[in-house]
Amino acid sequence: DKTGTLTVGHIEARLVSDGVDDAPVDGLSPHLRKVLAVALRATPDGGGHRLSHPTDRAVQRSGAEASVDQGEGVPGWRTRYEMPFEPARGFHAVLGDTDAGLRLSVKGAPEVVVERCDRWTRPEGEVELDDAERQRLAGAASTLARRGLRILALAERAADRDVELDDDRVRGLTLFGFLGLSDPVRPTVAQSLDNLRRAGVDVTMITGDHPSTAAGIGDELDLLGGAHRIVTGDEMDAMTDEELAEVAPEAKVFARVTPTHKVRIVRALQHTGRVVAMTGDGANDAPAIRLADVGIAIGKRSTTAAQDAADLVIVDERFETIVDAVLEGRAMWASVRDAVAVLVGGNLGEVAFTVIGTMIDGLPPLNARQLLLVNLLTDAAPALALALRAPRDMPPEALLREGPEASLGRSLDQAIVWRGLATAGGAGGAYVAARLTGSPGRARTVALVALVGSQLGQTLWAGGRSPSVLAAGLGSFALLGGIVQTPGVSNAFGCRPLGPVGWATALSAATAATAGAVVIPKVLDAAGDTLRDRLGIEVPKELLPAT
């Protein structure tokens, strides 16, 4: 929802127009002062209390700023009856007493109010409204709205009967002009929306504003690029649910919508298989917030209804907090994948190395105590630190590929395979090299160091600059060194203290294995892309590498 989410939620009156000329609120001509007075008469006086609707509060503040009161041009004004604004109705009407008799004042959507007017008052006098004049006034309102302003049409007439207001009575009005209100876009929203789009999240703006106002805001936020269209509430009313489901994914702006329309939009997007998050702060947003897969209430000042319906409440009122949460959640899936790949891939590498080594040498290259030591040093603190580390500072484009399906699907399978091959290859290479140049006991120790080093090296690489991963990885390797080099402890695990050549062999194998696990998949992916481009082969998306 636009107001209060994409915008600051503080509405101010900016200009007054008679349909031809306009001026800022603090610089009104005598005629434009009368136009503003109509807006004040069509607004509840509040009886000294704070008005509940932000638009009414903005109109009230504009009167104080311009030193205009309800009685300007119509002495003795006193409110008698009121017809509150409703989105489906499109206007707010007030019947009041004046020194000259009853008077009906109306403010509301231009396309609604202008159609209920028969005359138009200008500085030089009143004129009859025909279809051509109505079309011209609609164009004037649309031009103002394209400046990102919310436009209210202002009209009134003398009333001849003291009866309750109803919809049919609000006709035969005289149009006085328009009031332009602004609700500025939050300064950081444009960048936040861009980050969301780059991360693969579609953004749709929903507003009760005029389509031209919505278009102005949509252009400012770059929501209407390409062939994206604006869908109005009236158009939605003419659509079936199935037709709306076809249109909704391509429409990035919905204008002149009601709470019922918001619910239909959420349901239509869900019908297409989308996971939908709905943001808002008002009671009229609550039904759509509750229906959405993720309901989000913006700000501590959001209504109780919105907060009760929401799954999340953003208490700092920053739209970018939503973006930060989305990106952090995506990054956490990457952390989960890395941790699972280290655990499963490393263990598969251990199994592969043990089986192949046994087939070659007739005896297991590592005994049970050494295998237990490997698991203690690689599967405990390092893997836990990797899973719980703060999410990496990844660009939104990289996070586009993350998520439960992507991170724990083909991408995880590939990571497990490569880590397993690298671990087995590093330990196997070190074992063969050490076996050719020394005793079996020394070879087993070199293989043990290479096996642990290969897994810890991959863990450190996956952890990036995380202090916790760095501390856990280096701490585990230091513990391994102490065990191997301490004679009594080393013998207890079936190891032999190593000299410089043994350590160099093990560390070289571990380094090569870590580099291979990182570089080889990228090289193969790049080579595959190049080959496909040269051969002109279009590979189905589901078969492309997930790294």
Side-chain angles (χ1 to χ4, degrees):
D1 181 68
K2 177 186 76 71
T3 303
T5 302
L6 302 180
T7 62
V8 298
H10 183 71
I11 301 174
E12 290 290 345
R14 295 299 179 191
L15 62 81
V16 180
S17 169
D18 62 5
V20 177
D21 300 317
D22 61 76
V25 170
D26 57 358
L28 301 179
S29 65
H31 178 65
L32 292 179
R33 289 174 64 88
K34 294 179 180 179
V35 176
L36 180 57
V38 176
L40 292 169
R41 289 192 286 274
T43 299
D45 56 26
H49 300 289
R50 176 183 169 88
L51 297 174
S52 61
H53 200 287
T55 299
D56 292 334
R57 295 198 297 269
V59 174
Q60 193 177 60
R61 286 193 299 271
S62 69
E65 181 181 352
S67 299
V68 175
D69 60 29
Q70 293 176 317
E72 181 147 340
V74 182
W77 170 269
R78 297 179 306 281
T79 299
R80 179 171 292 215
Y81 301 125
E82 178 186 351
M83 182 184 291
F85 175 83
E86 291 181 2
R89 183 185 295 135
F91 63 83
H92 185 125
V94 177
L95 183 67
D97 291 308
T98 71
D99 292 347
L102 293 172
R103 197 162 188 84
L104 176 64
S105 301
V106 179
K107 72 176 190 297
E111 65 270 24
V112 175
V113 174
V114 172
E115 289 300 316
R116 294 172 179 264
C117 294
D118 295 333
R119 303 179 65 80
W120 173 27
T121 183
R122 301 184 55 185
E124 58 271 20
E126 290 187 0
V127 297
E128 295 287 339
L129 273 183
D130 55 21
D131 289 342
E133 289 292 338
R134 287 193 179 90
Q135 191 69 24
R136 196 178 75 77
L137 286 168
S142 180
T143 299
L144 294 173
R146 288 293 298 187
R147 293 155 63 175
L149 297 173
R150 178 184 297 179
I151 305 302
L152 295 178
L154 309 170
E156 64 180 11
R157 66 170 174 82
D160 55 1
R161 302 194 314 277
D162 181 15
V163 296
E164 291 283 351
L165 287 176
D166 57 36
D167 189 75
D168 291 335
R169 193 175 183 189
V170 185
R171 298 188 182 279
L173 301 169
T174 298
L175 182 73
F176 276 69
F178 305 102
L179 180 64
L181 305 108
S182 71
D183 182 10
V185 172
R186 295 179 186 267
T188 57
V189 159
Q191 182 61 50
S192 297
L193 293 182
D194 182 59
N195 287 339
L196 276 179
R197 288 190 291 265
R198 290 162 60 200
V201 179
D202 289 333
V203 180
T204 298
M205 185 180 79
I206 304 175
T207 177
D209 291 344
H210 188 279
S212 295
T213 304
I217 300 297
D219 287 337
E220 184 176 351
L221 297 176
D222 196 26
L223 290 173
L224 293 173
H228 298 314
R229 58 178 289 195
I230 296 176
V231 177
T232 66
D234 289 341
E235 291 175 325
M236 289 178 59
D237 289 336
M239 297 179 186
T240 64
D241 289 342
E242 291 73 18
E243 291 170 337
L244 181 59
E246 295 179 2
V247 171
E250 298 302 322
K252 299 306 177 185
V253 174
F254 289 87
R256 284 291 190 241
V257 299
T258 66
T260 301
H261 291 143
K262 294 178 183 181
V263 170
R264 289 191 66 198
I265 293 168
V266 172
R267 186 180 291 117
L269 291 170
Q270 290 173 328
H271 183 71
T272 65
R274 305 295 182 95
V275 177
V276 182
M278 173 68 191
T279 67
D281 64 349
N284 60 347
D285 301 319
I289 288 175
R290 182 174 295 280
L291 177 64
D293 298 285
V294 182
I296 304 174
I298 300 292
K300 292 183 291 186
R301 293 180 296 177
S302 56
T303 63
T304 301
Q307 293 188 19
D308 289 345
D311 301 294
L312 303 173
V313 179
I314 308 300
V315 296
D316 62 6
E317 300 187 1
R318 297 169 63 252
F319 183 81
E320 52 269 34
T321 298
I322 301 174
V323 183
D324 293 342
V326 170
L327 298 186
E328 182 173 336
R330 295 285 185 87
M332 284 182 175
W333 284 111
S335 297
V336 170
R337 181 190 63 234
D338 291 340
V340 173
V342 165
L343 288 170
V344 179
N347 288 333
L348 287 179
E350 295 171 26
V351 172
F353 167 62
T354 301
V355 171
I356 295 174
T358 301
M359 293 172 61
I360 294 175
D361 212 18
L363 294 173
L366 300 179
N367 61 38
R369 285 165 293 172
Q370 290 171 330
L371 288 174
L372 177 61
L373 181 62
V374 171
N375 289 331
L376 288 174
L377 294 175
T378 60
D379 294 352
L384 185 62
L386 185 62
L388 300 180
R389 77 187 191 278
R392 290 178 292 175
D393 185 17
M394 301 170 66
E397 293 88 343
L399 294 174
L400 169 62
R401 298 190 179 97
E402 304 298 346
E405 294 84 3
S407 299
L408 303 185
R410 189 173 66 257
S411 177
L412 176 61
D413 295 339
Q414 291 181 354
I416 289 173
V417 169
W418 283 113
R419 290 183 188 280
L421 290 175
T423 300
Y431 181 73
V432 171
R435 187 70 181 84
L436 294 175
T437 58
S439 66
R442 175 179 177 275
R444 285 194 291 270
T445 305
V446 171
L448 171 67
V449 174
L451 184 63
V452 174
S454 297
Q455 294 188 60
L456 291 180
Q458 295 172 64
T459 300
L460 291 173
W461 181 271
R465 295 186 295 271
S466 171
S468 60
V469 176
L470 186 63
L474 295 181
S476 294
F477 196 79
L479 180 59
L480 172 66
I483 291 173
V484 169
Q485 295 302 104
T486 304
V489 179
S490 182
N491 291 335
F493 282 94
C495 299
R496 302 288 186 273
L498 297 178
V501 175
W503 279 103
T505 301
L507 293 177
S508 297
T511 301
T514 300
V518 173
V519 174
I520 292 177
K522 295 181 179 180
V523 171
L524 292 178
D525 288 347
D529 291 340
T530 301
L531 183 61
R532 284 190 294 270
D533 291 341
R534 290 183 177 179
L535 296 178
I537 299 174
E538 184 175 347
V539 180
K541 182 179 180 181
E542 61 272 12
L543 298 181
L544 291 175
T547 55

